[in-house]
Amino acid sequence: MLNADALTQLRQLKTDIKQNKVVFPGTVKATNGRFGFVALDEGRDLFLPPEEMQKVLPGDRINVTETQDDKGKSQGAVDELLSGGLTTFVGRYLVKGKGHFVVPETPGINRWIFIPPKERKGAQPDDYIYCRIHKHPIKDGKGQAKVLRIIGQAGDPGLERAFTLASFDLDDAWPQAVEQQAEALDEQAVEAQTGEREDLTAQPYVTIDSPSTQDMDDALMAEANATGWTVSVAIADPTALIAAGSPAELEARSRATAIYFPGEPRPMFPDAISTRLCSLMPDSRRLALVCDLQVNNDGSVSDYRFRQAVIRSHGKLSYELVAQVLEGRESDDTRALADGVATSLDQLHQAATALRRWREEHALLSSDRPEFRLRLDEHKRIRQIEPALQTEAHRLVEECMVAANRCAADFLSQQDSGLFITHPGLREDRLDNVRTLLGNFAPALADLDPAKAEDFRTLMQRSEGLDAEVPVKAIVARQLARVELSFQPAPHQGMGLSAYTTFTSPLRKYSDFHVHRLIKAALWQQPAPALDADQLDALQRSQITARQAANSLENWLKCEFAPSLGDAELSGTIVRTIPAGFFVRLDSNGLEGFVSCKGLEGKYSFDPVTLRLVHNKNGRTFQLEQPVTVALAEVDLTRKQILFRLVETAAAATDTTEAAAESTGTNA
């Protein structure tokens, strides 16, 4: 037994060790395996072996000490938890013997987590559940969870949507204060705001949208003049009904955007606001922020002005109907249009054609990639995938919106404050690869500096249809940075514009709603609560989360639909390559699936310059925009991924033989 002096010495030794120990703060990064890493604040990653990873959760802020394993390799040992990163998650309820667990379906949690008896909420085996960490595993590696809500069971109609919302911590319900605010608004509230606005109800504005759209936030009209056209873009004005800083505005900022989930969207505002009182419904007096543009014959915009107005839509027109009018196809619906509306549509088409021509010459257009529409059945699963045809009517609306948004960006650039959508072009870590690409495969473009906005625009224009060994434009486009929000104007390189913002979707995007406030504050001294840097960052993160949630649900539904493809041979195009394989987009329905190199004969190397996979011996390549034939291999529902296998055609076999012959200098 230790005496008092020995105990004192032992305590002092422990204190000395603790004081002299070097710890590193960092953030836990999970992997698909049982091990993980700590992203240290000093800029390097430190390996966490499974026994240490068991004590932490993804996103945790921890202190670690650096040790070495038996082979002398550095690894981390968890020292203390600074703050928890993960609080809520989703999973499946599992009973094993006498133990009740949740099997997490949140990426990075590769373990079962015990649920104590008092925290089970009556959940049954195989229920999908929404949980909270009840006890962190930092002390002994044995965490606990509590059930917050039972989402449902596999096969329940709408389970996929409910599960996706829970996965991303998104709530469908409106806070009570928001519901009360929306219920207090009525047509009288609209009329009360009309007094000092210009009355444009006699003008032939129309909305052009899908037949099912109810939150209509833009209406258009145009008329010819001596130098081109006056295009008038009327945008719904919810800022007139929603007080600055009110519950509805705060909730809209939190949601950031409406999420257009297949079958059932998650709106940014309650229906009373977004689909009734602010929606530009036909034959209803509605408040609008109007941008009038002078579009010249060459497609340039020489002047613009903003007005607060009251408008009345003279028709809710579908894209198909407007396309019929523009193409001169007569029907009962086209003949029923008022003369003023038909004339305005013709002038809108001419102006939009000029605007598009200007953008082709002076800016950048997005590629017209085929789009597809998901049709759901009564169980809220995909019944059919059909092409979503892009018509002249779609392009008409697009050009008018882009032009009006360019005007808003120009106006805010002249003010003390603004909100802009910027795009820095290529990712910084890909610039050298792109320079090498141009030097090796597009020497005529090698003098361009892709880091400069003007040169990047020229690069994308001149690489369109370039006759080269590799698809230069597609390779560059795969390496673009993410769009960002900014208080200061900066180029939007993806569009080839010196500045850009959007104000044309204030019922669907909070950034557009806020731009309305900024424009009105500058012109008519109306209140515009400022966003600070933290709020801007939160807004951008919420936008990213919304996109991820929409993609996640769509991927899940597509995975459930994929088995209906059977064993059919399907044509597709390679849209992305990585060292492990390539992704193929089917031509018939847009489904994307992965072809693994493990399923191909031989070994392939990945070229980061051309983004090609090249066979190590015979030189066979797989590259972007390459047509291939595939068939369904399997569906990984856990990872929500469709897996294809390559179907070897006679032509492909010939190409491989010729490549092998060329690599050995022989004749096939």
Side-chain angles (χ1 to χ4, degrees):
M1 186 174 180
L2 296 175
N3 59 30
D5 289 342
L7 286 173
T8 300
Q9 291 174 1
L10 182 59
R11 292 192 191 100
Q12 185 60 45
L13 178 61
K14 289 182 178 180
T15 300
D16 292 343
I17 292 174
K18 187 172 183 179
Q19 289 177 345
N20 294 325
K21 182 170 57 177
V22 179
V23 296
F24 300 92
T27 303
V28 175
K29 292 165 53 176
T31 67
N32 290 329
R34 294 179 57 242
F35 62 89
F37 294 89
V38 182
L40 301 180
D41 291 354
E42 65 179 34
R44 61 190 177 100
D45 286 354
L46 188 61
F47 178 74
L48 275 185
E51 62 272 15
E52 294 299 312
M53 192 66 189
Q54 194 74 12
K55 303 175 185 176
V56 292
L57 297 166
D60 281 350
R61 291 281 299 163
I62 62 173
N63 275 335
V64 293
T65 56
E66 187 170 6
T67 64
Q68 290 187 332
D69 63 14
D70 295 339
K71 297 180 181 179
K73 294 183 178 180
S74 292
Q75 62 181 28
V78 178
D79 186 70
E80 65 175 329
L81 177 70
L82 300 177
S83 62
L86 181 80
T87 54
T88 58
F89 64 99
V90 292
R92 186 170 48 84
Y93 198 83
L94 174 71
V95 177
K96 198 73 171 177
K98 295 183 179 180
H100 291 235
F101 303 89
V102 56
V103 182
E105 296 212 2
T106 296
I109 313 180
N110 303 311
R111 72 190 82 166
W112 299 354
I113 300 178
F114 179 71
I115 304 176
K118 293 182 179 180
E119 308 298 344
R120 294 170 185 169
K121 296 274 188 184
Q124 299 298 313
D126 292 329
D127 277 348
Y128 285 98
I129 53 179
Y130 180 55
C131 301
R132 182 185 300 279
I133 295 296
H134 182 58
K135 174 193 170 189
H136 197 282
I138 187 69
K139 291 184 178 179
D140 55 9
K142 298 178 181 179
Q144 294 183 4
K146 65 182 295 183
V147 177
L148 297 178
R149 185 171 76 249
I150 298 171
I151 301 171
Q153 285 209 334
D156 290 350
L159 169 75
E160 296 86 352
R161 183 181 183 277
F163 187 85
T164 300
L165 286 171
S167 299
F168 289 90
D169 282 320
L170 301 174
D171 198 345
D172 238 359
W174 297 105
Q176 185 177 2
V178 176
E179 287 188 332
Q180 291 174 344
Q181 184 177 351
E183 290 169 0
L185 296 171
D186 55 19
E187 293 290 344
Q188 291 182 342
V190 175
E191 285 300 319
Q193 296 288 332
T194 62
E196 297 182 359
R197 290 174 176 250
E198 294 187 50
D199 188 342
L200 302 179
T201 54
Q203 301 301 314
Y205 288 101
V206 293
T207 61
I208 305 173
D209 224 314
S210 300
S212 60
T213 300
Q214 299 300 317
D215 52 346
M216 293 166 288
D217 47 18
D218 58 86
L220 303 170
M221 62 160 285
E223 56 185 8
N225 57 39
T227 59
W229 305 267
T230 300
V231 174
S232 189
V233 179
I235 304 300
D237 189 8
T239 61
L241 296 183
I242 299 173
S246 65
E249 173 159 6
L250 296 178
E251 178 67 14
R253 191 172 75 199
S254 174
R255 294 190 174 211
T257 178
I259 307 178
Y260 286 89
F261 290 125
E264 187 180 352
R266 178 182 184 259
M268 189 176 77
F269 288 117
D271 283 347
I273 296 171
S274 62
T275 67
R276 290 192 288 124
L277 296 175
C278 290
S279 179
L280 304 182
M281 300 186 299
D283 300 318
S284 299
R285 286 166 58 85
R286 288 293 176 259
L287 308 175
L289 179 61
V290 177
C291 180
D292 297 318
L293 306 80
Q294 173 56 42
V295 179
N296 299 321
N297 289 318
D298 64 355
S300 61
V301 177
S302 60
D303 195 14
Y304 60 84
R305 64 169 174 164
F306 291 97
R307 294 189 280 174
Q308 295 186 94
V310 182
I311 73 159
R312 179 177 69 87
S313 170
H314 288 234
K316 179 188 177 186
L317 309 185
S318 68
Y319 288 115
E320 173 59 27
L321 175 60
V322 174
Q324 289 179 20
V325 173
L326 301 183
E327 295 166 9
R329 291 183 283 145
E330 287 198 2
S331 67
D332 290 342
D333 290 335
T334 61
R335 285 189 289 269
L337 293 175
D339 290 342
V341 169
T343 300
S344 177
L345 288 176
D346 179 61
Q347 298 303 317
L348 278 168
H349 185 220
Q350 293 184 46
T353 301
L355 286 167
R356 191 169 187 84
R357 188 168 57 247
W358 184 91
R359 283 213 296 150
E360 286 176 341
E361 295 174 2
H362 302 283
L364 296 175
L365 299 178
S366 58
S367 301
D368 284 336
R369 188 178 78 167
E371 298 294 335
F372 296 87
R373 184 179 294 112
L374 307 184
R375 298 295 190 189
L376 305 189
D377 60 20
E378 66 275 14
H379 301 294
K380 299 186 178 180
R381 294 184 178 87
I382 297 176
R383 168 177 52 85
Q384 182 182 2
I385 302 178
E386 57 187 27
L389 300 177
Q390 295 295 305
T391 67
E392 277 299 303
H394 289 86
R395 284 184 276 274
L396 182 158
V397 174
E398 178 186 3
E399 292 305 325
C400 291
M401 296 303 107
V402 170
N405 287 328
R406 285 167 49 204
C407 294
D410 181 74
F411 176 75
L412 291 182
S413 296
Q414 303 170 39
Q415 312 305 315
D416 293 333
S417 63
L419 183 61
F420 301 90
I421 301 173
T422 68
H423 185 261
L426 287 163
R427 289 170 46 179
E428 287 191 13
D429 61 332
R430 303 298 177 88
L431 285 169
D432 287 341
N433 284 347
V434 171
R435 292 185 179 106
T436 302
L437 173 75
L438 299 181
N440 292 344
F441 297 95
L445 306 179
D447 289 339
L448 297 173
D449 183 356
K452 295 180 179 179
E454 189 171 332
D455 281 8
F456 177 82
R457 182 173 66 245
T458 302
L459 166 61
M460 299 304 282
Q461 289 173 334
R462 292 174 58 186
S463 61
E464 178 71 37
L466 183 69
D467 184 14
E469 182 183 337
V470 297
V472 173
K473 185 173 183 178
I475 294 169
V476 174
R478 283 299 317 178
Q479 302 178 84
L480 298 180
R482 178 178 283 162
V483 167
E484 300 171 354
L485 294 175
S486 172
F487 293 129
Q488 300 300 321
H492 191 302
Q493 294 195 41
M495 297 182 71
L497 298 172
S498 58
Y500 194 67
T501 192
T502 55
F503 82 107
T504 50
S505 296
L507 298 177
R508 309 176 187 187
K509 289 166 47 183
Y510 182 79
S511 56
D512 292 42
F513 180 94
H514 186 69
V515 168
H516 271 236
R517 288 238 192 266
L518 295 176
I519 292 172
K520 294 167 77 172
L523 290 174
W524 302 293
Q525 290 74 53
Q526 295 188 14
L531 295 177
D532 60 32
D534 290 340
Q535 291 169 331
L536 185 69
D537 182 62
L539 177 61
Q540 186 153 278
R541 282 188 278 108
S542 295
Q543 289 179 340
I544 293 170
T545 297
R547 285 195 294 271
Q548 290 173 337
N551 291 337
S552 178
L553 176 57
E554 191 167 305
N555 286 340
W556 189 347
L557 295 176
K558 287 178 177 178
C559 284
E560 293 178 332
F561 176 80
S564 67
L565 298 174
D567 296 325
E569 295 186 0
L570 307 160
S571 61
T573 304
I574 296 178
V575 293
R576 184 183 167 209
T577 57
I578 60 175
F582 53 88
F583 292 84
V584 175
R585 192 174 201 248
L586 298 184
D587 299 333
S588 59
N589 55 26
L591 291 186
E592 290 189 14
F594 183 64
V595 176
S596 173
C597 285
K598 293 180 180 179
L600 303 175
E601 185 178 345
K603 292 186 177 181
Y604 284 79
S605 297
F606 180 72
D607 180 2
V609 172
T610 62
L611 306 185
R612 292 192 296 187
L613 286 162
V614 183
H615 194 285
N616 290 352
K617 291 185 178 180
N618 64 30
R620 184 181 188 182
T621 62
F622 293 103
Q623 66 181 22
L624 297 177
E625 298 190 339
Q626 179 178 332
V628 292
T629 302
V630 297
L632 181 67
E634 62 175 308
V635 177
D636 185 345
L637 281 175
T638 302
R639 299 176 64 185
K640 307 295 188 296
Q641 188 177 58
I642 299 170
L643 302 174
F644 290 142
R645 59 179 175 84
L646 188 69
V647 176
E648 293 288 0
T649 63
T654 300
D655 291 344
T656 302
T657 303
E658 290 176 352
E662 289 176 4
S663 67
T664 58
T666 61
N667 293 323

